[in-house]
Amino acid sequence: MATESALQRNEGASTRVFFALWPEPALAEKLTGIAGELSASLGGKPTRAETVHLTLAFLGDVPNARLPELATLPPVGAIAPFVLALDRLGSWQHNRLAWMGCSESPPLMNLVLGLRRQLGEAGFAIRDPDRPFFPHLTLVRKLPAGLAASVRHLPQDIDWPCREYRLVASTLSAAGSSYRTLARYRLSA
Ligand code: NAP
């Protein structure tokens, strides 16, 4: 459901937006606890609990005039709530991130593909459409340069019950980015 007051607060001609799964506060705290441990051992800046998420589709700048249309798209249909098993931690060198990821998840892929189809049919382009979708939650940014990329499996999966996804506006500044939820969509079969 779109948040009208949030839609009205967009300054400028366009807004940087993305769709994402957002964990409930208790899970977000757990994930950012792990982010804190990682950044304590590796360096970098841990993600805050209120901003940890898994991006489903990144659109980048969308004209503000089209935001109400985007925010009132219906939820992607025929996707029941599902549980995502977070089972691995990794890091990338090219963008200096540490992340948490998951094994292959058919409902997650159906949601991503359904969202892409819906956005395309409504005339919204996603950024870098040829970039393979790699499901991850960024846990640490600005890792020290030169740290080798790595992946390791967690001793035990962290189950994430996914019941809704969000449309979020991102504002970049010298201090980092800040996010604002524009709409929420419930998953249902
Ligand atoms: P953003 O660039 O608006 O990205 C929002 C979300 O979309 C993130 O999940 C990001 O993935 C994803 N995304 C961005 N471009 C994408 C693309 N072309 N294709 C697919 N997915 C894409 O905001 P941000 O990522 O939070 O930060 C942007 C800049 O601010 C970065 O340079 C970052 O280093 C800097 N910054 C952020 C923070 C913070 O707390 N968020 C703090 C300090 C500095 P990723 O998570 O993989 O990037």
Side-chain angles (χ1 to χ4, degrees):
M1 205 170 87
T3 316
E4 208 162 302
S5 57
L7 288 175
Q8 286 162 352
R9 285 198 351 246
N10 299 301
E11 290 160 14
S14 64
T15 300
R16 184 177 173 93
V17 291
F18 60 101
F19 288 87
L21 291 168
W22 225 268
E24 297 291 330
L27 177 57
E29 288 293 344
K30 180 170 183 169
L31 296 173
T32 50
I34 297 169
E37 288 167 18
L38 283 174
S39 71
S41 65
L42 301 174
K45 189 177 170 202
T47 303
R48 286 169 287 126
E50 62 275 22
T51 62
V52 69
H53 66 274
L54 187 158
T55 294
L56 300 167
F58 180 81
L59 284 78
D61 292 334
V62 167
N64 288 345
R66 295 205 68 198
L67 282 185
E69 182 192 349
L70 181 64
T72 52
L73 287 174
V76 173
I79 312 268
F82 60 94
V83 175
L84 206 53
L86 302 173
D87 65 359
R88 63 198 68 189
L89 280 173
S91 62
W92 289 319
Q93 219 176 12
H94 69 282
N95 51 7
R96 295 166 52 198
L97 298 184
W99 49 266
M100 184 171 283
C102 56
S103 315
E104 211 169 285
S105 162
L108 175 64
M109 282 318 294
N110 288 341
L111 176 58
V112 168
L113 294 175
L115 192 52
R116 282 187 177 213
R117 195 176 321 114
Q118 183 190 49
L119 291 168
E121 286 169 3
F124 291 99
I126 69 159
R127 181 86 62 90
D128 302 328
D130 296 330
R131 180 158 133 180
F133 173 66
F134 186 93
H136 68 284
L137 302 105
T138 294
L139 294 186
V140 181
R141 293 185 185 279
K142 298 184 187 292
L143 285 175
L147 215 62
S150 67
V151 184
R152 71 178 161 90
H153 284 264
L154 296 175
Q156 197 173 358
D157 292 358
I158 297 175
D159 284 342
W160 177 5
C162 300
R163 300 183 193 91
E164 67 160 36
Y165 64 97
R166 300 183 184 190
L167 172 65
V168 175
S170 166
T171 305
L172 305 181
S173 73
S177 52
S178 65
Y179 301 146
R180 188 158 41 89
T181 297
L182 301 180
R184 293 171 174 228
Y185 311 85
R186 303 292 297 177
L187 297 175
S188 67

